[in-house]
Amino acid sequence: IFLPHLVASMEVEETYIMIKPDGVQRGLVGEIISRFEKKGFKLTGLKLFQCPKELAQEHYTELQSKPFFPKLIDYITSGPVVCMAWEGAGVVASARKLIGATNPLNAEPGTIRGDLAVQTGRNVVHGSDSPENGKREIALWFKEGELSQWTPAQEPWLKE
Ligand code: UDP
């Protein structure tokens, strides 16, 4: 049987993951990075960064008309964030599962938000919602030369 949606999810994708200012302030950087690292995805970009207002607005441009938009921009620019690019087959949807529901009270135990947060307005981490947005967001947050292509030594032990 040919299942195009399953085939598509196995393509190598990129996702933009960001530890929000509350995650940095609460000392959760190592814990959050570990979740993606242990799963077996490949880190291709990583930096601590104080986000300018314009970049936050561009990143969340789809939410511009929402009532919470100004508070969201204040939150994201309130301190340094950790910007990450992760690569792998199916990484976009898988990272969203590892992160959990937008409202941490609805997020399953075992997910980052389910384990580490209590409010939507302080939900510690961002993950791209589609492969297209993954590419768009990585291009937005990283400059050329800030991403690394490399082959993890564990690769033969992760994939048959
Ligand atoms: N957000 C908020 N109030 C809301 C909905 C969203 O403050 O009612 C914030 C929250 O930080 C969320 C971000 O806006 O993570 C982006 O919202 P989205 O619906 O895209 O959720 P996500 O993809 O981050 O789960």
Side-chain angles (χ1 to χ4, degrees):
I1 315 164
F2 181 59
L3 297 167
H5 58 289
L6 288 182
V7 174
S9 75
M10 293 314 293
E11 277 168 26
V12 175
E13 299 169 349
E14 299 169 284
T15 193
Y16 176 65
I17 302 294
M18 177 167 72
I19 305 174
K20 296 176 177 181
D22 49 334
V24 176
Q25 295 287 353
R26 292 178 53 207
L28 298 173
V29 170
E31 163 86 34
I32 294 172
I33 294 177
S34 289
R35 304 270 178 131
F36 299 97
E37 203 178 30
K38 286 178 194 162
K39 173 74 173 169
F41 292 121
K42 177 162 72 174
L43 183 65
T44 57
L46 173 69
K47 65 179 177 185
L48 185 71
F49 182 62
Q50 176 61 55
C51 168
K53 209 167 190 156
E54 301 69 40
L55 178 58
Q57 288 166 338
E58 178 63 27
H59 172 80
Y60 282 123
T61 189
E62 284 169 23
L63 301 174
Q64 251 179 76
S65 60
K66 302 282 186 194
F68 59 81
F69 187 74
K71 272 176 70 180
L72 174 59
I73 299 308
D74 286 348
Y75 164 43
I76 295 302
T77 58
S78 64
V81 295
V82 173
C83 309
M84 292 179 274
W86 289 90
E87 191 185 281
V91 69
V92 173
S94 179
R96 297 274 295 183
K97 281 190 192 164
L98 292 173
I99 288 170
T102 305
N103 181 343
L105 294 183
N106 298 331
E108 295 295 328
T111 66
I112 295 168
R113 287 169 174 166
D115 289 349
L116 306 173
V118 291
Q119 269 193 7
T120 303
R122 295 288 182 271
N123 62 5
V124 301
V125 66
H126 164 83
S128 308
D129 62 6
S130 67
E132 295 68 36
N133 270 336
K135 282 197 196 320
R136 178 184 78 87
E137 292 168 6
I138 289 169
L140 200 58
W141 288 87
F142 287 98
K143 293 186 204 132
E144 237 182 86
E146 287 183 331
L147 300 170
S148 298
Q149 276 313 326
W150 59 293
T151 304
Q154 63 174 348
E155 210 138 88
W157 300 101
L158 272 171
K159 299 171 194 165
E160 60 179 14

